[in-house]
Amino acid sequence: MRNVTDEFVKFALEYADYDKIPAEVIHESKRVLLDGLGNALGGIASDKGKIGIMFARRQGGNGAASLIGVGGKSSAAVAAFCNAELWNGLDMDPVPHVPPIVIPAILAVAEERGSTGKELLAALCVGQEVARRLSRVLLSIMTKSIMKYGKTPDFFGNSNEHIIGAAVGCGMLMKLNEKQMRNAIGIAAYYCSLGVCRDWESTSPKSMIKYVPVSWMAQGAVQAAEMAELGYTGNEYTLDSEYGFPHIYCREPDVWDPEKVVEELGSRWFFTEYHYKPYPVCRYLHSVLDAFAILQEKYHFSPEQIEAIDCHTAAFVANPDQYSVANQVDVQFSGPIAMALEAFGYKPGPAWQDKLALNDPRLLAFAKKVTMHVAPEYAELRRKDPLSWYGRVEVTVGGQVYTESVDYSRGTNKDGYRLTDEEIQDRFRLGANCILPDYKAEKVIAEMARLENAANLTALFENLCL
């Protein structure tokens, strides 16, 4: 049986050397960082993000880590908390949801510790890879349950385990030794929040904390590494012990697979296979939005012409009442409202959750024309290719039905569907437009291109904040 802890620690210490990491892996880490910074800046438009900022300011300004967009300095732990709320505010971060937990934690520590661009990039690559490998196994509990029973498990977490990858990345920047790194992992595992995702799914209106408290996970990761640095101890082998973290966290047989967690570690980087989200809504809704966009491009239906829209895709279980929209998070998990936003020409991004949209009576009226269905084809295609995400829409206009389907949603890590570097940059600009002047947004893009040459992150954060 493979010892996951020791292999993760060895991996982190070896790949702290930036030059050992393949160029394409570094490139992807820069893409996801720029994308996430844009999401964080756009997240200022969300109440979730605003409250994160207010909370951070309430904690005081003793520190050297920045609050993205608004500026001001806090401790790394507090900045990680705030920036994670911003990162996830729009629900536009890639899936699996590694970035809003891992990146804000590592970024805050890197700024506070005066890390170089190379040190930051190495920590981002390793931290995300550790988190992604854990979620690749542990999150299978959700997919298996949906495919078998049409619902998620009664007790499960969605992305909580990413705190461990975040702690590893923070530990790299703190130059932790092997024993300290094992303790950081052990502390982070015990900091992991409860697997209450099913409870969140079943409630309406949706809460801001969503499927996982990303802010606490990011803050906890920083604190776990800091505590280990000071000599605090955790169960160094909780990932490998009989009653350790994976068994408590899963509570289902045959989910935890140590061999799969560490297979090809160092030679294959799973985090580079993220699926980006062109729309600020749950990815379960993206394929039908893509199909509707194709029909709109062909026929230019006005909202008034459309009599009905029938959407066929995967079973969607994250919102029990998709026609009730009381807040911004409800919008992120409502297929009918997302269709209405697209029909009325709202640009995907912060505008989809602006209060003007939330209070637009036309959207609520149009949403009643939209019906969500489970497509049998979805499961069949998914078994053939796990990357598939079948979606079909049937739009009724003048008594005639217009149909379009897609097998993969845009942003999927597959040839022909990946977002280009230029699209990632445009996504960043879209979010940055919420608060930054254009010249600062362009300077951030330029800084990202040469991040590996940066002696510290001062210039980057000077342009990320007003």
Side-chain angles (χ1 to χ4, degrees):
M1 184 75 69
R2 305 283 285 276
N3 184 296
V4 173
T5 305
D6 284 341
E7 297 217 26
F8 275 166
V9 171
K10 180 182 176 182
F11 174 65
L13 296 178
E14 179 179 355
Y15 287 93
D17 183 349
Y18 169 93
D19 294 326
K20 289 187 175 182
I21 302 175
E24 62 272 17
V25 176
I26 294 293
H27 181 72
E28 188 59 32
S29 72
K30 292 167 74 171
R31 276 167 48 94
V32 73
L33 176 57
L34 183 64
D35 179 76
L37 290 170
N39 291 337
L41 291 165
I44 292 172
S46 69
D47 286 348
K48 178 178 170 70
K50 291 182 177 75
I51 292 170
I53 293 167
M54 289 190 294
F55 178 84
R57 287 179 170 167
R58 183 176 288 185
Q59 306 311 300
N62 182 24
S66 300
L67 309 184
I68 291 173
V70 296
K73 301 290 186 181
S74 296
S75 68
V78 170
F81 183 102
C82 169
N83 295 337
E85 286 294 307
L86 291 169
W87 220 275
N88 185 238
L90 299 177
D91 206 67
M92 208 166 177
D93 43 272
V95 290
H97 295 288
V98 171
I101 295 173
V102 175
I103 300 181
I106 293 173
L107 193 60
V109 171
E111 186 186 13
E112 184 179 71
R113 299 284 173 130
S115 302
T116 67
K118 285 185 176 181
E119 289 171 333
L120 168 63
L121 288 167
L124 287 175
C125 290
V126 171
Q128 289 182 93
E129 185 62 18
V130 168
R132 181 66 188 97
R133 283 173 172 272
L134 289 170
S135 70
R136 180 170 171 258
V137 171
L138 297 175
L139 267 181
S140 68
I141 188 175
M142 180 171 66
T143 303
K144 289 176 180 177
S145 181
I146 290 174
M147 296 290 283
K148 187 174 183 179
Y149 303 111
K151 66 181 184 69
T152 51
D154 292 342
F155 181 91
F156 79 106
N158 181 348
S159 307
N160 309 47
E161 68 279 0
H162 299 161
I163 188 175
I164 295 171
V168 169
C170 291
M172 291 171 63
L173 296 172
M174 296 177 192
K175 308 293 195 294
L176 300 189
N177 60 33
E178 290 185 31
K179 185 173 181 63
Q180 289 172 320
M181 191 69 86
R182 289 196 300 271
N183 278 304
I185 290 172
I187 297 166
Y190 277 33
Y191 278 4
C192 187
S193 61
L194 291 172
V196 294
C197 204
R198 184 65 184 277
D199 175 67
W200 175 81
E201 287 179 352
S202 65
T203 57
S204 184
K206 309 308 296 178
S207 68
M208 290 182 187
I209 206 164
K210 299 197 207 179
Y211 36 82
V212 58
V214 292
S215 50
W216 165 242
M217 295 291 95
Q219 177 177 322
V222 175
Q223 292 177 330
E226 288 178 334
M227 294 291 279
E229 183 183 34
L230 294 171
Y232 199 91
T233 61
N235 177 356
E236 294 182 39
Y237 288 99
T238 190
L239 295 180
D240 302 285
S241 57
E242 183 180 1
Y243 300 107
F245 173 82
H247 306 286
I248 297 168
Y249 185 74
C250 284
R251 292 178 55 180
E252 290 288 341
D254 304 321
V255 171
W256 177 247
D257 183 350
E259 298 293 331
K260 187 174 181 179
V261 172
V262 296
E263 66 179 346
E264 301 180 90
L265 185 61
S267 61
R268 181 174 180 181
W269 297 75
F270 286 101
F271 89 87
T272 64
E273 301 169 12
Y274 286 140
H275 307 297
Y276 288 86
K277 293 172 69 175
Y279 308 98
V281 295
C282 182
R283 189 165 180 264
Y284 274 76
L285 306 173
H286 282 224
S287 56
V288 289
L289 287 167
D290 282 346
F292 183 52
I294 294 170
L295 284 178
Q296 286 293 76
E297 189 174 347
K298 287 181 181 178
Y299 301 108
H300 305 287
F301 298 130
S302 70
E304 294 74 23
Q305 288 178 299
I306 296 173
E307 298 161 15
I309 300 179
D310 288 278
C311 303
H312 305 261
T313 186
F316 186 65
V317 294
N319 190 346
D321 186 358
Q322 295 187 55
Y323 297 95
S324 175
V325 181
N327 57 51
Q328 291 165 315
V329 181
D330 282 340
V331 173
Q332 298 167 12
F333 296 89
S334 170
I337 291 295
M339 281 287 170
L341 285 160
E342 191 163 38
F344 280 96
Y346 281 84
K347 187 176 180 63
W352 274 34
Q353 291 157 43
D354 189 276
K355 297 299 174 61
L356 290 173
L358 192 63
N359 295 306
D360 188 340
R362 300 175 304 165
L363 299 182
L364 294 176
F366 186 91
K368 294 176 182 178
K369 301 179 182 180
V370 181
T371 306
M372 306 299 292
H373 307 273
V374 177
E377 302 97 321
Y378 171 83
E380 180 183 347
L381 288 168
R382 189 81 165 179
R383 290 187 187 97
K384 293 178 180 177
D385 183 357
L387 293 179
S388 71
W389 206 288
Y390 178 81
R392 184 177 77 256
V393 294
E394 297 163 354
V395 180
T396 304
V397 175
Q400 183 175 348
V401 177
Y402 298 82
T403 302
E404 186 63 59
S405 64
V406 298
D407 289 346
Y408 303 89
S409 56
R410 193 162 57 91
T412 296
N413 181 50
K414 183 179 177 66
D415 289 344
Y417 296 89
R418 295 185 186 91
L419 298 188
T420 66
D421 289 356
E422 291 73 21
E423 288 175 309
I424 294 289
Q425 291 174 6
D426 285 342
R427 281 162 58 83
F428 170 78
R429 293 183 180 101
L430 182 67
N433 188 56
C434 289
I435 189 167
L436 295 184
D438 290 346
Y439 82 90
K440 281 204 167 191
E442 295 308 315
K443 284 187 176 181
V444 171
I445 293 173
E447 287 294 329
M448 195 63 58
R450 55 177 177 262
L451 185 57
E452 61 271 21
N453 299 319
N456 54 54
L457 304 182
T458 301
L460 177 64
F461 275 98
E462 281 180 351
N463 291 298
L464 272 172
C465 303
L466 287 176

